[in-house]
Amino acid sequence: MGIYEELIARGLIAQVTNEEEIREMVNAGKATFYIGFDCTADSLTAGHFMALTLMKRLQQAGNRPIALIGGGTTMIGDPSGRTDMRKMLTKEDIDHNAECFKRQMERFIDFGEGKAMMINNADWLLGLNYVEMLREVGACFSVNNMLRAECYKQRMEKGLSFLEFNYMIMQSYDFYHLFKTYGCNMQFGGDDQWSNMLGGTELIRKKLGKDAHAMTITLLTDSQGKKMGKTAGNAVWLDANKTSPFEFYQYWRNVGDADVMKCIRMLTFLPLEQIDAMDGWEGSELNRAKEILAFELTKMVHGEEEAVKAEASAKALFGGGGAASDMPVTELTEAELTDGKADVLSLLVKAGLCPSRGDARRNVQQGGVTANDAKITDTNHAFSADELREGVLLRRGKKNYARIVLK
C-alpha cells in the first residue's frame, strides 16, 4: 500500500484535483506540499493535529513539507467558518504567536537541512505594493465567482468586510509564490478551504500557463480536524502551560463512542491492521480504545513520560483512588473568600466547569455536581477556608472536574 492509499484508508481525503497525478507523485515521494497556519493564538490546538500528523506521514514517505506560518494572512483574518470578524492582532502579537507555533511544530516535523521548510508569508505579503498587487493578481479573480464561494456566502447576511474579502486572493498568492520560489506543487487544507485553494491553482494557471497548471495539485483533508480540539467551549491547546498533559489526555479519553475509532485511524500512527482489528470493539473494549487514543496522542505531544503519568492519574481519579496528583488545579486566595468561605456556584465558574452562575445553579439543582464524591444539592453550599486548604475535588457530571485549593 502506498502512502496515498494509506491516507484514503485512514479517512483523510475529502476532495482532490488530478487524482492520478497526485497518487503517483505522493507515492513516489516527489511532492513538495504546504499547509498554512494562521497565527491567531500563541499555541496550536488539538484541532491542528490532523494537519501535523498528515505532514509527518507524508514526510516519512519521502515528500517535502512546507509549514507556512501566516504572519501576513493573519493580519486580514480568514472568514471561513466564521459568523463574525476575527479580532485584529498587532504585528507584535502575530510574530510572537508564529514563534510559539515553530517550537510546537518541531515536535512533529523534521526541519533539518534539505528536509521540511518553515516559511512565513509575511516575508512577501507585507511588502506588496497595493496597486501592483491589483494589477498582477486582482485581474485574475472574478468577483462573481468569489461571492459564490461557501466561505463568503455564509457571511453575506451578517456582513463581510472588504478586509476579509481579500483573504482568498492573499491565500491564492501564497501558493503562486511558493510554486515559483520553492517548487511547491501541492497544497493541503480543510475542506472548508476548497474555494480558497482552487483560487491558488487557477492563479498559477493564468499567470504561468497550462504546463505550470499541470504540476499544480490541490489535496484536501477532511474538515473533521476543524471540529476537534474544543471542550466545554474552550480550546484544547498543545502548550502544556495552557492545557496540562492530564487535561489533554482526558480530552481524548472522553471522545464520543462514535468518534473514537475515526480519531484513532486519522490521528495515530498505529498500523492499519491493528486498527482494523479494533473496529468491532464495544463496551469495555471501546473504553480501552479511548485509552489507547489518549495515550498515543499525549505521548506524541508531551512525551511518553507525561503520557504514562496522565494515564496513571486518570486511573487513580476514576478508579476510586482519589484525586490525581497532576489533575487540573484552581487556586484561590484569601481575598476571594466571602466571610471565610467560597460558595459552590462561584467555584464551578472559576474552575471553568460551568460558563456562568446560572449554568452552575442548574447543574447543582439537577444533581450533577459533587464535591469530594459527595453530591451537592444546595445551591447555597459553601466551603470553609480549612476545607479549601485541604483541597476540594469538584466535579460536574462524570467527565469535568477540578481540584480547588486555597493558597
Side-chain angles (χ1 to χ4, degrees):
M1 179 186 294
I3 184 61
Y4 184 78
E5 288 74 24
E6 180 179 344
L7 296 181
I8 293 175
R10 289 184 179 273
L12 290 167
I13 306 301
Q15 303 180 72
V16 301
T17 64
N18 309 74
E19 183 169 34
E20 287 308 311
E21 193 171 3
I22 290 171
R23 185 191 307 274
E24 181 179 346
M25 187 172 292
V26 166
N27 284 344
K30 294 181 179 178
T32 297
F33 67 95
Y34 92 91
I35 299 180
F37 300 83
D38 276 352
C39 314
T40 53
D42 59 0
S43 172
L44 297 165
T45 73
H48 291 106
F49 238 123
M50 188 177 297
L52 295 171
T53 56
L54 186 67
M55 293 174 82
K56 184 173 183 176
R57 292 183 210 281
L58 287 167
Q59 185 176 44
Q60 288 177 339
N63 299 286
R64 190 178 194 188
I66 296 176
L68 183 64
I69 302 297
T73 42
T74 306
M75 299 193 78
I76 292 178
D78 184 2
S80 301
R82 300 284 299 187
T83 58
D84 56 2
M85 187 171 168
R86 295 179 186 271
K87 177 185 175 183
M88 298 285 284
L89 299 177
T90 66
K91 186 177 184 301
E92 290 71 25
D93 288 337
I94 293 171
D95 289 345
H96 170 74
N97 294 347
E99 286 301 316
C100 294
F101 278 21
K102 288 179 183 179
R103 291 193 294 271
Q104 292 175 344
M105 287 180 184
E106 287 170 347
R107 304 175 195 166
F108 296 85
I109 314 301
D110 185 353
F111 291 101
E113 185 175 351
K115 298 182 179 178
M117 292 181 283
M118 190 173 293
I119 303 172
N120 192 327
N121 64 16
D123 294 344
W124 58 86
L125 291 181
L126 297 189
L128 289 173
N129 176 281
Y130 183 65
V131 174
E132 290 178 0
M133 176 72 170
L134 288 177
R135 288 175 61 86
E136 182 182 8
V137 179
C140 298
F141 286 82
S142 161
V143 171
N144 291 348
N145 289 339
M146 292 174 72
L147 290 176
R148 283 194 288 268
E150 195 61 37
C151 61
Y152 291 146
K153 282 166 57 179
Q154 62 189 357
R155 286 289 303 281
M156 292 303 290
E157 289 186 10
K158 292 198 173 184
L160 176 70
S161 72
F162 181 72
L163 179 72
E164 295 170 293
F165 188 65
N166 283 270
Y167 191 89
M168 180 188 292
I169 296 175
M170 303 296 272
Q171 181 172 335
S172 299
Y173 189 85
D174 281 344
F175 195 15
Y176 173 60
H177 179 86
L178 292 172
F179 183 91
K180 289 197 308 176
T181 309
Y182 300 99
C184 178
N185 49 36
M186 196 176 297
Q187 57 180 330
F188 285 74
D191 58 10
D192 58 347
Q193 294 285 312
W194 182 244
S195 298
N196 287 352
M197 297 172 74
L198 288 181
T201 62
E202 184 69 7
L203 176 60
I204 292 172
R205 184 186 69 81
K206 289 181 176 179
K207 296 295 295 181
L208 302 178
K210 187 187 303 184
D211 292 340
H213 177 254
M215 293 299 294
T216 306
I217 303 167
T218 307
L219 203 71
L220 261 67
T221 59
D222 192 301
S223 61
Q224 180 72 19
K226 298 284 185 178
K227 302 172 186 175
M228 297 174 184
K230 289 191 175 182
T231 179
N234 298 314
V236 177
W237 306 99
L238 303 193
D239 185 341
N241 294 319
K242 296 167 77 73
T243 297
S244 72
F246 179 79
E247 293 172 295
F248 188 83
Y249 177 95
Q250 279 303 119
Y251 169 74
W252 296 106
R253 172 61 181 82
N254 293 330
V255 299
D257 290 355
D259 292 329
V260 57
M261 292 311 303
K262 180 188 292 186
C263 289
I264 287 177
R265 192 173 293 277
M266 295 168 75
L267 303 178
T268 75
F269 284 79
L270 296 176
L272 283 169
E273 296 79 8
Q274 181 180 345
I275 297 172
D276 289 341
M278 298 164 62
D279 263 339
W281 284 10
E282 297 179 351
S284 60
E285 286 184 324
L286 202 55
N287 287 330
R288 176 58 187 148
K290 294 180 183 181
E291 291 173 350
I292 291 171
L293 171 68
F295 184 86
E296 289 295 321
L297 299 191
T298 305
K299 179 175 70 173
M300 215 182 301
V301 174
H302 298 294
E304 186 164 6
E305 182 179 349
E306 290 295 338
V308 169
K309 286 168 57 180
E311 183 177 56
S313 293
K315 289 179 177 178
L317 176 61
F318 295 106
S325 60
D326 61 344
M327 71 176 301
V329 174
T330 297
E331 294 185 336
L332 294 177
T333 64
E334 294 279 356
E336 293 176 280
L337 303 183
T338 302
D339 296 328
K341 296 182 178 181
D343 68 275
V344 66
L345 302 185
S346 297
L347 293 182
L348 286 167
V349 174
K350 182 172 178 61
L353 300 178
C354 294
S356 66
R357 287 181 64 87
D359 184 71
R361 184 182 303 278
R362 284 190 294 274
N363 274 275
V364 171
Q365 291 172 338
Q366 294 167 5
V369 175
T370 63
N372 295 334
D373 292 327
K375 185 171 290 188
I376 303 295
T377 57
D378 181 5
T379 57
N380 294 315
H381 186 93
F383 301 92
S384 68
D386 287 341
E387 289 177 299
L388 292 166
R389 288 192 186 94
E390 288 290 325
V392 174
L393 176 59
L394 201 59
R395 295 198 203 198
R396 178 184 63 80
K398 295 181 179 180
K399 301 178 180 179
N400 302 286
Y401 44 81
R403 191 163 180 261
I404 316 294
V405 176
L406 180 64
K407 293 194 291 186

